[in-house]
Amino acid sequence: MLQVSINDQRYDFPEGMTILDALRQLKIEVPTLCYDERIEAYGGCRLCMVRVTGNPKLVTACQTPLVDGMAIETHSPEIENLRKTNLKLLATHYPQEAVEKNPHKEFHRWLYAYGLEHEACGKFDLHKQDRSHPYLSIDMSQCITCYRCVNICNDVQGQFVWQVNGRGDRSQIVPDSGTTLLESTCVSCGACADTCPTGAIADQSGQDQARTYTRTTCPYCGVGCEMDVGVAQDRIVTVRPALNSPVNRGHLCVKGRYAFDFVDASDRVTTPLIRKNGQLTPCSWDEAFAAIKSELQRILSESGPKSLGLLGSSRATNEENYVAQKFARVVLGTNNVDCCARVCHTPSAAAMKWMLGTGAATNSFDDIEVARTLLICGANPTENHPVIGARIKQRVLQGAKMIVIDPRATELARMATIHLALKPGTNVLLLNAMAATLVEEGLMDKSYLANRIDGFDAYFNFIRPLKPEIAASICGIDPEVIREAARLYATEKPSMCFHGLGLTEHTQGTEGVMCLVNLALLTGNLGKPGTGINPLRGQNNVQGAAHMGCDPSILTGSVSVQGERLRFEKVWGATIPSEKGLNLLAMMDAAGREELKALWVIGYDVYLTNPKMHETRQAFEKLKFVVVQDLFLNETAREFASVFLPVASGFEKDGTYMNAERRISRVRRVVSPRGQSKTDWEILCEVAAAMGKGEHFPYRSAEEIWNEVRSVWQEAQGISYARIEKHGLQWPCMDLEHPGTKILHAETFSFGKTTQIKSIPFEPTPEKTNAEYPFLLTTGRNLYHFNAGTMTQRTPNHHLRKSDFLDLNPLDAHHLGLREGETARLISRYGEATLPVRFTHDVKPGEAFATFHTPEFYLNHVTSGYRDRKVHAPEYKVTAVRIEKSNRCARSLV
Amino acid sequence: MTTNESFYHLPEGTKLPAFCQGTACFVARHVHPQRWREAAQQTRRLYCLGKCHLAPASLKDSARPLTQVHASQAIVLERIAKRVAPTLAAYQAQGGYQALEKARALAPEAIIRSIEIADLRGRGGAGFPTARKWRAVQTEIAKQKYIIANADEGDPGAYIDRLILEEDPHCLLEAMAIAGHAVGANKGIIYLRREYPAALTTLQTALAEIQKTDMLHPFAIEIHLGQGSYVCGEESALLNAIEGKRPEVRTRPPYPSQHGLFGSPTLVNNVETLANIPWIIRQGGAAYAALGFSKSRGTKVISLNSLFRRPGLYEIEFGMSLRQIVEDLGGGLKHGHLKGLIIGGPLAGIVPPHLLETPFGFEELHAIGAAVGHGGVIAFDEQTSIGSLIEHVFQFGAYESCGKCTPCRLGSRRISEMSWQSEEWSDLIAALRDTSLCGLGTGLAEFAESIQRYYHQELEDLCCKSP
């Protein structure tokens, strides 16, 4: 403890604080304008200056560390006068109107506090305004040159958009475009607006109108950022990042922060619909429930429970997914239940469960700042998990090494120490070649090998010949570069892996993850800070949906139906079918064969997003009865729903999500459900009751459901709503005293001390290029849109990214006679789509990349029906295509 | 060689303006009014070409200043005063690079110890003990360390480093290599201002000469060019400039010796400081410390401006009185009477004539509110009113402010535009003095306070006259 005197009072403080930290803790207010706890203290405004006895000069409280025995004076008349002088200098040319209009802005507040509000004598200047951006409004006549925007853009987002031109009193803060913010490299994270102490950079939405703020968890990706949603008159007006969140540390991305307008989009459906004469027409809930009950009961009696299936939603809460799988098993009597994890990270969950015992990230986001090497495999976090992408960027800017395995030169690949730009579909070959290098060059962690790994001798014989020199030509990478990457991963430890769908969405997706796990095992990069295998989960609750049991073979807590059925039956007081269920893809196949007759789909546009669209269509067309729960008439609902049930959005209900680092965080009702919409769990409970199974679904709140989850899932027993009131907790968390688990497998794996290292031979995908289909297409997402675009396409994000594009290397485009912005026909063996073309060197010649956010483009007409050999995830990442100039006009891009 | 604008986006381009507007030129504006008028009309300002002996100076002026040694030992001007050619051969003929050879036979600690015995203090302005800096870098454990020669002599009135760079470049290269050996750095960078084009030529020639031999090996030196920024002369701002960042002063700690260029331990020494090193290695620290007086040991080169009868560079021992400098070396003023001395640039206190008995030394000048600074000595006469001097200095300050700190960014401009002696004036000076991060702001305050102290009467008269 440090003993410190502040204004003649004695205090004790722990080490590692600044003077300002201490003052804030004591609620002694000193003015600050350039300070923000998210950035390194800048010390430019010179307002927080205090006197430290023995120091000839005043010091900045924000930058000066607290030292034992320090005597600090904060508010002498002399110091206050200096503050006043500096504040007055800042006020002189500041627009008076701004101060009057918004007295609560940080700078204005200090002017009032020092009685200087009338010193602001300037005027708004139209020439200093920039209204180009859909979310941010710029008025540099209100800029006091505190550099917070510059520093937060550099130190938090790592984008370096805001730059300072000139010097002295001619310093001007401008976007890197030199023109407007829209034309700059801005990624619209909004951090600058969040930190700006004046109105110079502000959200166009009603930051100032918000009456109440409610803490909740972001409804977009699997990072699970905590945020405070500002509401006025039951409408969301603004979103701010939770400052002290361990996940996002006061940061958000363009989706979480700004893309909330979908909640009140004009085409949101808020009444139940029923298909009559081919038309979906409004009906009452009773009518909808009656139709569902009679149809399901009819099909059940005619074809048995095997003919029914249900898909939970990665967008819905844990509680809702728990109810959904229980509904499938208890009410429908089938294990035909799955969710969209099937098409993304089920390979990760399966591979990691088999090899490590737990099918979830081994480490936490906080390990990023500990890792000395980051291995990013088939993931593009700066677009798809932007807040984690930003943390990774900062870590690399601080000097950490980074290896990126990706066919494309993504933003992280461009700043990587080593970019392994492999040919799509050759992950296993490449990862094995890295492992062979480790073995050949003796770079293994010998003690880890001895203590934690079984079967190394067999593996050694298998892997040794699979050298980089053999993989090189097929992967398209120089063997020495592969060796360098392996050396880096093994020697600059701790090394942390993040992987994404570039690894999993392949015929060898599960096996690819297993190969990655092998690398971590060989080098001992597991169970320690700054290490691990960490799947970057795509959706807010995709980890949770599957973990709650929306999977044909597992029950809540990721335990097998076969093994744990009886335990669950006791708690539920109901029978659980023992018959093996069908997964999503198998259900589609069964529907095609007319064995599956009815499908209930919750918050998931299956038709649009499944691969090989014409087969999906054929399957849906044969289904007798389709129930869709969603906010909007998505493509599945529009084309195939027999009954559509309007549901509450993530902002309109209570519950929890599970993020990519196993954290259970609270979701809160921020606004009321729109129109007649109900939460997913309410709907399921009501139908269960209608079908005579109400006794098994007696819930009155999300918390009651969660408590039942805790009763069946031991690793979550310690996670009560009370404990996650402020911040989420990471499972395993065995009891109410347990602090949660940041790092798995430290001493033992979930099934024991040792694990078997696995020999995985490379099996090339049957999807191959030839003269007719010479290009390899991969598909993915971009920063501004989310998956099927259901939410983001209904927000001003479409001004930031107007369309999907086919990204082509200019060389190829030139050969094809395509010009930028022209539309191209993308033809595969399975179908075709038409997209506007964009030139980029990020894509290698012979390859192409397209996003799939715009429903009208139906990109999945093109993708193949090949699936992961173990768990059936579709191979979205490799399709052989032909590209032709199209005469059809794509949607206007302007 | 790498170059960068000392500040991002210098809007006016990189071509140098024709006329100098430094303080020496300002106080000599009546000598050549037409030239000063043109200088004042330049859209882009130029603060100090280092030709103060010719002030008001232009880019084209090339007459060499007088160079004399008035110390019992010639050290920094050893070869310059003798007009030794700046070639490798001539330098070696004078014993050049023997110090490097000698140093390389010594343990690093032995080298640092001799500098410590010499009691050498930084000649750039701060007077920090050089050996402490060297030792701080030497004791850091790092793969990469750097030696940086600060050749950004921006103090108006000083042209000492310019002559060293132009006429004795090998002395600097040798000193950097010695420093490299002493602290464990294999890379040296000379941060040179583009305002010194002749220095660039001689340095490049000298580097080419030495690179043909392997005498510096494994030590490598490169030149980094900067331009148009006074603040870059401050060591941490200079590091930012080399890194391509906005050259603002960094908050300490960490010090450059711990976390300097690109995060590596870095020794930044001024050119003149380094120019003393080979002599100290050859002759020993004690011989050096035998010169000078009080806590200011050794010699110092001072540069006298054009209003003196004998402007030029003089190597003196510390302890000489200001009067001796003005009268014996400078020979008094060419015209008119001495009104004051601006020593070490305008960002320090002014010395009024009645304090001319003060001896030239760090602590002695500090005691009267002035500073040794880098050793530029600008005399001004009655042609310069105190009001116009204040305006000139604060315009300089406002122009050179990097813009980080509120009082300097906004206050220096405000002061240059306002009438003196108001309450606001004192408030602003206090804010500059007490709340500025670097010497630019505090130096402006020191200047203003010395004016208030020593030229009180003239200020009051000014107030009475102003409406």
Side-chain angles (χ1 to χ4, degrees):
Chain A
M1 279 306 222
L2 308 174
Q3 291 203 331
V4 175
S5 142
I6 298 176
N7 299 332
D8 299 326
Q9 295 272 324
R10 293 180 62 85
Y11 301 97
D12 287 341
F13 287 104
E15 292 193 39
M17 294 172 82
T18 64
I19 295 179
L20 186 65
D21 294 335
L23 296 180
R24 294 211 162 168
Q25 202 170 307
L26 297 172
K27 302 218 176 332
I28 297 174
E29 273 214 303
V30 295
T32 57
L33 283 174
C34 65
Y35 180 81
D36 183 312
E37 63 189 50
R38 291 167 287 187
I39 53 185
E40 193 185 334
Y42 179 64
C45 73
R46 317 307 281 181
L47 293 174
C48 70
M49 308 210 71
V50 295
R51 182 161 306 283
V52 173
T53 306
N55 208 319
K57 291 180 75 177
L58 298 181
V59 299
T60 45
C62 65
Q63 294 175 304
T64 310
L66 214 56
V67 173
D68 194 39
M70 228 178 204
I72 301 159
E73 190 183 23
T74 64
H75 282 82
S76 70
E78 172 218 2
I79 297 173
E80 284 289 87
N81 201 44
L82 291 168
R83 288 182 185 140
K84 220 168 157 171
T85 305
N86 284 341
L87 268 170
K88 211 164 124 182
L89 280 169
L90 292 169
T92 309
H93 299 293
Y94 192 82
Q96 190 171 26
E97 219 183 310
V99 181
E100 289 162 0
K101 234 167 80 181
N102 198 345
H104 299 295
K105 278 272 181 207
E106 206 173 326
F107 176 52
H108 308 171
R109 211 160 46 77
W110 287 117
L111 290 182
Y112 280 103
Y114 281 83
L116 296 170
E117 65 275 17
H118 301 299
E119 295 289 333
C121 303
K123 286 194 159 52
F124 288 124
D125 182 352
L126 281 174
H127 299 291
K128 290 184 173 172
Q129 293 181 356
D130 171 7
R131 297 274 184 263
S132 63
H133 195 281
Y135 293 122
L136 293 152
S137 80
I138 314 295
D139 176 7
M140 285 301 174
S141 62
Q142 294 179 65
C143 176
I144 55 167
T145 334
C146 69
Y147 297 128
R148 265 159 75 168
C149 52
V150 178
N151 292 331
I152 206 162
C153 191
N154 297 357
D155 296 353
V156 174
Q157 179 56 39
Q159 202 63 23
F160 303 93
V161 173
W162 290 111
Q163 303 192 340
V164 188
N165 265 357
R167 68 187 190 209
D169 65 343
R170 294 149 341 277
S171 300
Q172 276 189 323
I173 292 170
V174 291
D176 59 4
S177 57
T179 56
T180 63
L181 186 60
L182 193 64
E183 286 173 359
S184 75
T185 61
C186 173
V187 292
S188 310
C189 69
C192 53
D194 198 69
T195 191
C196 181
T198 71
I201 306 175
D203 286 350
Q204 285 188 13
S205 72
Q207 210 169 325
D208 313 323
Q209 303 158 24
R211 294 284 166 268
T212 55
Y213 280 90
T214 306
R215 173 74 46 96
T216 190
T217 304
C218 178
Y220 284 101
C221 79
V223 174
C225 296
E226 294 176 304
M227 56 198 212
D228 295 320
V229 182
V231 172
Q233 275 117 38
D234 202 31
R235 286 179 78 97
I236 300 172
V237 290
T238 189
V239 171
R240 300 196 62 184
L243 276 183
N244 43 6
S245 162
V247 177
N248 46 312
R249 299 179 169 185
H251 195 37
L252 285 174
C253 79
V254 57
K255 293 184 281 269
R257 188 172 158 90
Y258 291 118
F260 50 78
D261 278 0
F262 69 88
V263 171
D264 287 303
S266 58
D267 64 341
R268 177 151 172 205
V269 185
T270 57
T271 51
L273 305 174
I274 193 160
R275 197 173 292 273
K276 288 179 183 160
N277 307 319
Q279 292 291 318
L280 281 170
T281 45
C283 66
S284 69
W285 278 106
D286 287 344
E287 202 179 335
F289 288 155
I292 291 169
K293 180 185 170 187
S294 72
E295 277 303 291
L296 289 182
Q297 280 178 342
R298 185 180 62 75
I299 295 170
L300 257 175
S301 64
E302 287 172 8
S303 316
K306 268 198 312 193
S307 62
L308 304 176
L310 185 143
L311 297 175
S313 176
S314 298
R315 326 293 301 133
T317 61
N318 290 314
E319 291 76 359
E320 288 168 327
N321 280 294
Y322 175 78
V323 170
Q325 57 89 32
K326 188 176 175 186
F327 180 92
R329 290 176 166 124
V330 172
V331 181
L332 305 181
T334 178
N335 280 316
N336 293 347
V337 57
D338 208 357
C339 67
C340 78
R342 180 65 47 194
V343 302
C344 62
H345 267 301
T346 296
S348 300
M352 294 171 71
K353 176 114 181 151
W354 290 335
M355 292 191 70
L356 306 172
T358 301
T362 62
N363 286 57
S364 302
F365 295 142
D366 277 347
D367 288 289
I368 294 170
E369 286 78 18
V370 182
R372 288 177 61 212
T373 300
L374 291 149
L375 171 57
I376 314 292
C377 184
N380 186 10
T382 56
E383 298 216 46
N384 299 332
H385 304 85
V387 168
I388 291 312
R391 279 175 73 172
I392 292 172
K393 265 170 92 170
Q394 287 302 328
R395 185 66 190 148
V396 173
L397 289 169
Q398 286 162 13
K401 303 283 192 284
M402 179 165 62
I403 305 158
V404 173
I405 301 178
D406 201 297
R408 291 189 303 143
T410 58
E411 185 181 4
L412 287 187
R414 290 193 295 270
M415 66 190 291
T417 323
I418 298 175
H419 175 201
L420 300 169
L422 82 178
K423 182 182 167 193
T426 60
N427 290 317
V428 167
L429 198 61
L430 175 65
L431 295 170
N432 276 345
M434 286 174 71
T437 307
L438 300 178
V439 169
E440 183 186 330
E441 300 186 9
L443 299 169
M444 295 92 73
D445 180 333
K446 305 258 162 33
S447 96
Y448 198 84
L449 215 59
N451 294 318
R452 305 290 298 272
I453 298 173
D454 297 329
F456 180 71
D457 290 345
Y459 180 77
F460 179 83
N461 291 330
F462 160 78
I463 203 76
R464 216 182 132 73
L466 305 178
K467 296 178 177 193
E469 288 68 21
I470 292 165
S473 66
I474 306 171
C475 296
I477 308 171
D478 184 330
E480 189 50 32
V481 178
I482 301 176
R483 285 181 183 276
E484 274 302 316
R487 289 172 198 144
L488 192 59
Y489 178 75
T491 54
E492 291 279 326
K493 292 202 278 192
S495 302
M496 183 176 194
C497 276
F498 282 107
H499 72 270
L501 306 186
L503 185 60
T504 61
E505 289 179 342
H506 289 283
T507 48
Q508 276 196 301
T510 306
E511 290 155 293
V513 179
M514 292 166 83
C515 290
L516 198 64
V517 174
N518 281 346
L519 290 185
L521 289 173
L522 287 169
T523 54
N525 275 310
L526 269 174
K528 306 177 188 87
T531 67
I533 300 293
N534 301 281
L536 280 167
R537 306 302 306 247
Q539 304 196 45
N540 55 336
N541 202 33
V542 64
Q543 173 94 44
H547 216 83
M548 289 301 111
C550 285
D551 184 297
S553 56
I554 68 168
L555 289 166
T556 314
S558 194
V559 294
S560 82
V561 176
Q562 301 315 323
E564 304 272 346
R565 191 162 50 87
L566 300 177
R567 181 166 66 83
F568 278 73
E569 283 183 347
K570 264 189 215 145
V571 179
W572 291 355
T575 320
I576 295 173
S578 58
E579 201 169 339
K580 233 171 154 304
L582 301 174
N583 67 38
L584 159 66
L585 280 299
M587 281 190 240
M588 286 291 121
D589 296 345
R593 295 191 305 269
E594 297 188 52
E595 288 165 18
L596 191 84
K597 311 273 187 194
L599 185 64
W600 189 317
V601 187
I602 303 171
Y604 180 7
D605 198 348
V606 187
Y607 171 54
L608 185 72
T609 56
N610 255 21
K612 213 174 175 188
M613 206 160 188
H614 75 276
E615 268 187 15
T616 316
R617 165 170 281 278
Q618 283 167 8
F620 264 102
E621 277 171 350
K622 288 184 179 154
L623 285 168
K624 299 286 179 283
F625 189 63
V626 176
V627 180
V628 174
Q629 290 180 202
D630 212 299
L631 303 177
F632 301 101
L633 273 188
N634 61 28
E635 298 307 302
T636 309
R638 195 190 317 279
E639 297 266 356
F640 306 110
S642 316
V643 178
F644 177 90
L645 306 176
V647 295
S649 74
F651 290 110
E652 299 160 8
K653 60 189 174 191
D654 287 307
T656 58
Y657 294 149
M658 184 189 299
N659 80 349
E661 53 167 7
R662 296 171 277 104
R663 188 183 299 274
I664 308 286
S665 301
R666 270 304 308 273
V667 178
R668 289 187 181 80
R669 180 170 150 152
V670 170
V671 291
S672 58
R674 300 318 198 209
Q676 298 180 44
S677 50
K678 294 172 187 268
T679 63
D680 292 300
W681 68 267
E682 284 170 336
I683 292 171
L684 291 164
C685 291
E686 287 185 43
V687 176
M691 294 180 72
K693 303 277 187 181
E695 60 183 299
H696 305 296
F697 297 85
Y699 316 113
R700 285 162 304 174
S701 69
E703 188 173 6
E704 283 187 9
I705 304 171
W706 180 250
N707 287 337
E708 186 174 311
V709 171
R710 292 167 62 207
S711 75
V712 293
W713 177 27
Q714 205 197 346
E715 288 173 318
Q717 262 170 22
I719 306 176
S720 65
Y721 268 30
R723 285 189 77 193
I724 56 172
E725 183 60 26
K726 274 196 177 144
H727 296 298
L729 275 171
Q730 289 168 281
W731 61 266
C733 179
M734 313 306 269
D735 56 59
L736 288 171
E737 306 302 314
H738 195 288
T741 308
K742 293 183 90 66
I743 300 172
L744 297 178
H745 317 311
E747 301 301 325
T748 62
F749 300 105
S750 314
F751 43 52
K753 181 150 193 257
T754 60
T755 187
Q756 189 85 23
I757 191 160
K758 295 277 182 5
S759 303
I760 315 277
F762 172 59
E763 282 291 336
T765 169
E767 178 71 16
K768 290 200 169 36
T769 53
N770 60 14
E772 202 182 343
Y773 302 105
F775 287 92
L776 275 185
L777 172 78
T778 59
T779 68
R781 304 197 263 138
N782 75 53
L783 172 66
Y784 297 101
H785 291 291
F786 193 74
N787 288 359
T790 318
M791 293 148 74
T792 50
Q793 295 281 9
R794 290 177 171 88
T795 69
N797 274 31
H798 71 255
H799 293 301
L800 294 167
R801 178 75 168 230
K802 291 176 180 68
S803 170
D804 281 333
F805 292 100
L806 178 67
D807 284 355
L808 274 184
N809 188 285
L811 209 68
D812 286 335
H814 178 75
H815 287 314
L816 294 164
L818 281 161
R819 273 180 301 191
E820 192 143 34
E822 283 186 337
T823 51
R825 279 175 71 203
L826 196 57
I827 306 155
S828 73
R829 296 181 177 96
Y830 321 100
E832 69 171 87
T834 307
L835 268 86
V837 170
R838 206 173 62 159
F839 291 5
T840 168
H841 289 281
D842 299 351
V843 171
K844 298 196 288 278
E847 292 173 15
F849 173 80
T851 48
F852 56 82
H853 307 299
T854 317
E856 297 96 289
F857 291 155
Y858 291 116
L859 187 65
N860 279 312
H861 276 306
V862 174
T863 45
S864 83
Y866 294 116
R867 296 170 187 170
D868 173 54
R869 308 198 302 173
K870 305 278 183 195
V871 300
H872 281 183
E875 187 166 60
Y876 289 106
K877 300 293 183 186
V878 189
T879 310
V881 295
R882 177 167 83 239
I883 297 164
E884 292 176 359
K885 201 166 164 157
S886 163
N887 297 324
R888 228 175 72 205
C889 215
R891 247 176 18 147
S892 166
L893 305 178
V894 185
Chain B
M1 187 177 71
T2 52
T3 65
N4 71 278
E5 297 302 340
S6 298
F7 266 80
Y8 297 162
H9 323 296
L10 273 182
E12 306 92 339
T14 54
K15 195 168 170 284
L16 286 171
F19 301 108
C20 182
Q21 282 156 286
T23 309
C25 295
F26 169 73
V27 300
R29 63 203 181 287
H30 54 281
V31 177
H32 201 327
Q34 173 60 23
R35 184 175 268 193
W36 179 255
R37 265 197 299 279
E38 285 183 44
Q41 279 163 10
Q42 287 168 165
T43 49
R44 183 172 184 190
R45 296 195 213 169
L46 174 55
Y47 284 113
C48 211
L49 285 168
K51 296 178 181 175
C52 315
H53 59 297
L54 303 171
S58 97
L59 201 55
K60 287 181 186 144
D61 294 338
S62 60
R64 185 180 182 275
L66 185 70
T67 49
Q68 288 186 356
V69 176
H70 289 263
S72 50
Q73 292 278 355
I75 297 173
V76 176
L77 296 185
E78 191 181 5
R79 286 162 298 277
I80 294 171
K82 285 195 279 181
R83 309 293 302 267
V84 174
T87 62
L88 177 58
Y91 184 65
Q92 282 183 297
Q94 296 285 322
Y97 288 108
Q98 285 175 9
L100 176 60
E101 206 173 313
K102 186 176 171 190
R104 282 185 169 165
L106 295 172
E109 178 50 35
I111 300 171
I112 296 173
R113 184 71 195 131
S114 5
I115 296 166
E116 199 166 54
I117 292 167
D119 221 350
L120 179 64
R121 294 170 71 172
R123 301 299 193 233
F128 188 80
T130 304
R132 284 219 328 245
K133 249 189 184 181
W134 286 37
R135 184 164 287 122
V137 180
Q138 196 257 328
T139 50
E140 287 288 323
I141 295 162
K143 279 185 194 159
Q144 180 71 59
K145 294 180 186 180
Y146 294 97
I147 306 295
I148 292 178
N150 182 349
D152 192 20
E153 185 176 43
D155 263 347
Y159 48 100
I160 301 140
D161 295 346
R162 179 171 74 82
L163 263 282
I164 300 171
L165 295 163
E166 289 179 8
E167 301 195 358
D168 200 12
H170 282 287
C171 178
L172 175 66
L173 305 184
E174 183 180 15
M176 290 175 74
I178 294 170
H181 173 67
V183 307
N186 62 7
K187 198 152 186 214
I189 296 171
I190 301 169
Y191 184 88
L192 178 68
R193 56 201 308 255
R194 214 190 298 240
E195 286 82 353
Y196 286 180
L200 174 62
T201 312
T202 49
L203 269 181
Q204 282 176 320
T205 311
L207 263 180
E209 276 182 310
I210 199 75
Q211 277 160 358
K212 278 189 200 134
T213 75
D214 61 354
M215 284 160 63
L216 292 191
H217 183 79
F219 191 75
I221 297 178
E222 58 181 71
I223 302 170
H224 190 105
L225 279 184
Q227 181 180 349
S229 165
Y230 177 78
V231 171
C232 283
E234 193 282 336
E235 59 179 3
S236 65
L238 182 152
L239 295 176
N240 282 337
I242 297 177
E243 288 180 11
K245 291 181 186 154
R246 192 174 161 80
E248 291 169 352
V249 172
R250 299 179 183 174
T251 307
R252 296 170 174 80
Y255 292 89
S257 54
Q258 311 160 306
H259 192 93
L261 190 66
F262 299 111
S264 298
T266 302
L267 177 73
V268 187
N269 274 159
N270 155 267
V271 169
E272 187 190 347
T273 312
L274 287 166
N276 284 293
I277 298 294
W279 193 94
I280 293 172
I281 298 299
R282 285 197 313 269
Q283 311 285 340
Y288 190 88
L291 308 174
F293 89 126
S294 175
K295 289 181 179 169
S296 308
R297 312 308 303 188
T299 67
K300 176 80 190 84
V301 182
I302 56 173
S303 57
L304 272 49
N305 69 326
S306 66
L307 295 192
F308 283 102
R309 209 165 266 141
R310 284 194 299 274
L313 285 191
Y314 297 89
E315 181 163 13
I316 61 165
E317 280 181 52
F318 282 107
M320 186 182 266
S321 78
L322 297 180
R323 186 175 302 285
Q324 281 172 294
I325 290 171
V326 171
E327 291 172 4
D328 301 350
L329 305 185
L333 268 53
K334 281 180 190 146
H335 315 281
H337 293 98
L338 180 73
K339 189 166 171 180
L341 286 180
I342 301 167
I343 304 175
L347 303 185
I350 294 186
V351 181
H354 73 268
L355 292 175
L356 283 186
E357 298 311 327
T358 311
F360 191 81
F362 289 105
E363 282 68 28
E364 293 71 16
L365 284 174
H366 183 74
I368 60 165
V372 167
H374 184 40
V377 180
I378 300 173
F380 64 99
D381 58 22
E382 302 96 334
Q383 295 284 337
T384 295
S385 73
I386 290 303
S388 66
L389 185 63
I390 294 172
E391 193 182 338
H392 164 80
V393 170
F394 275 90
Q395 274 179 359
F396 167 73
Y399 185 75
E400 295 293 353
S401 169
C402 75
K404 174 171 180 163
C405 300
T406 306
C408 180
R409 180 176 77 243
L410 301 171
S412 53
R413 169 78 62 216
R414 180 93 188 104
I415 292 170
S416 76
E417 289 167 355
M418 72 192 295
S419 66
W420 20 91
Q421 289 298 70
S422 65
E423 194 184 322
E424 192 189 355
W425 202 76
S426 321
D427 283 345
L428 288 170
I429 298 301
L432 273 172
R433 183 192 59 221
D434 293 334
T435 71
S436 296
L437 168 62
C438 83
L440 180 56
T442 52
L444 284 168
E446 278 169 31
F447 164 80
E449 284 176 332
S450 80
I451 292 279
Q452 272 177 310
R453 193 178 320 148
Y454 300 130
Y455 299 88
H456 195 70
Q457 193 55 52
E458 190 172 339
L459 278 179
E460 281 195 355
D461 293 349
L462 261 170
C463 279
C464 300
K465 278 176 212 156
S466 54

